[in-house]
């Protein structure tokens, strides 16, 4: 898959971001962090594409990814905490651990310009576990009207996004990096990410309007 096609698939994240910006004033502030997550991923995907197109920028492309992982985790934890799915002390502990993992990655790589692999694993696993917990609660406690349930669509998309990314990341790093099979797996990741972004867009449409 060439860089242009990969970028087009990646830019499917623009849809939930645009819908989120459009709906921002009409929804409760406790949902705003999720909208900011969608805006953040648009910025990241744009920087990654520019890195592919321009080699000079490509040398720096890992730095925004590392920063993104920390910011995205912060927004995610803040979001689920604001909506009662995570205790404040647990949020603070997870953020603290993430920073420590990032520091360990830095000393391991001796540079912030290399991908923080351990941080990627940690962030993906944390978001995956929390998303599974939220999804299971929707299935067990709510059980009805799931089609109009924001939390069902959000957690389902988050489970898909984080589970597949983590599994594909593991396959690429430990066995298929820089091989033809690895490129095929990476192409699959772009497709699954695009599906996840469409589900996130659907979730945003299901956010209830704030009380006047």
């Amino acid at each position: 898959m060439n860089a242009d096609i990969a970028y087009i698939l990646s830019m499917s994240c623009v849809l939930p971001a645009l819908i989120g910006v459009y709906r921002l004033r009409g929804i409760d502030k406790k949902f705003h962090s999720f909208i900011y997550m969608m805006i953040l991923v648009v910025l990241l995907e744009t920087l990654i594409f520019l890195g592919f197109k321009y080699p000079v920028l490509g040398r720096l492309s890992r730095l925004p990814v590392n920063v993104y992982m920390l910011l995205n985790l912060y927004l995610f934890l803040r979001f689920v905490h604001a909506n009662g799915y995570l205790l404040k002390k647990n949020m603070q502990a997870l953020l603290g651990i993430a920073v420590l993992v990032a520091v360990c990655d830095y000393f391991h790589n001796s540079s912030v310009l290399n991908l923080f692999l351990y941080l990627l694993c940690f962030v993906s696993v944390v978001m995956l576990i929390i998303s599974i917990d939220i999804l299971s609660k929707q299935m067990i406690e709510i059980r009805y009207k799931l089609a109009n349930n924001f939390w069902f669509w959000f957690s389902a998309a988050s489970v898909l996004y984080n589970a597949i990314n983590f599994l594909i990341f593991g396959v690429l790093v430990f066995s298929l990096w820089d091989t033809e099979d690895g490129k095929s797996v990476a192409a699959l990741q772009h497709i699954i990410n695009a599906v996840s972004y469409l589900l996130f867009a659907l979730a945003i449409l299901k956010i209830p309007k704030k009380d006047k």
Side-chain angles (χ1 to χ4, degrees):
M1 182 180 293
N2 64 43
D4 291 328
I5 296 177
Y7 178 70
I8 291 172
L9 288 173
S10 299
M11 280 296 99
S12 56
C13 62
V14 170
L15 180 61
L18 288 177
I19 296 174
V21 170
Y22 175 76
R23 296 208 60 202
L24 196 62
R25 292 186 178 181
I27 60 178
D28 196 283
K29 288 185 178 180
K30 63 184 179 181
F31 290 97
H32 286 188
S33 292
F34 174 53
I35 307 302
Y36 299 151
M37 288 172 63
M38 296 296 98
I39 296 172
L40 186 63
V41 77
V42 172
L43 296 176
L44 176 68
E45 295 290 1
T46 301
L47 291 173
I48 290 175
F49 174 74
L50 292 175
F52 279 122
K53 299 294 285 187
Y54 305 102
V56 174
L57 295 177
R59 300 187 190 118
L60 304 174
S61 63
R62 301 303 186 194
L63 176 59
V65 174
N66 295 335
V67 174
Y68 163 80
M69 287 189 287
L70 286 172
L71 289 177
N72 191 54
L73 179 65
Y74 166 73
L75 289 172
F76 177 85
L77 295 178
R78 178 182 173 184
F79 173 55
V80 294
H81 165 65
N83 286 276
Y85 286 103
L86 186 69
L87 296 176
K88 184 175 182 179
K89 63 179 182 180
N90 293 338
M91 178 186 72
Q92 294 171 336
L94 290 170
L95 286 173
I97 294 172
V99 172
L100 289 176
V101 172
V103 171
C104 292
D105 262 313
Y106 169 74
F107 284 110
H108 176 74
N109 294 317
S110 300
S111 173
V112 295
L113 301 181
N114 294 324
L115 183 63
F116 285 2
L117 300 178
Y118 298 122
L119 179 63
L120 190 154
C121 288
F122 177 77
V123 169
S124 296
V125 170
V126 167
M127 294 177 69
L128 175 60
I129 292 173
I130 293 175
S131 298
I132 290 174
D133 179 60
I134 295 174
L135 180 60
S136 65
K137 288 178 179 178
Q138 307 314 304
M139 300 295 291
I140 295 173
E141 298 176 8
I142 307 299
R143 289 191 303 230
Y144 61 93
K145 296 183 180 178
L146 290 177
N148 292 318
N149 184 339
F150 163 81
W151 289 102
F152 170 74
W153 292 110
F154 164 77
S155 55
S158 186
V159 167
L160 176 65
Y161 182 87
N162 288 291
I164 297 301
N165 279 344
F166 178 71
L167 291 174
I168 288 178
F169 163 77
V171 171
L172 284 174
V173 168
F174 294 110
S175 59
L176 298 177
W177 193 264
D178 285 335
T179 67
E180 287 301 318
D181 288 337
K183 293 177 182 178
S184 298
V185 173
L188 176 62
Q189 181 186 30
H190 287 298
I191 295 171
I192 293 173
N193 284 354
V195 173
S196 300
Y197 294 140
L198 293 177
L199 292 176
F200 281 133
L202 179 59
I204 293 174
L205 291 173
K206 302 300 180 180
I207 297 177
K209 295 180 181 179
K210 66 181 178 181
D211 297 328
K212 295 182 179 180

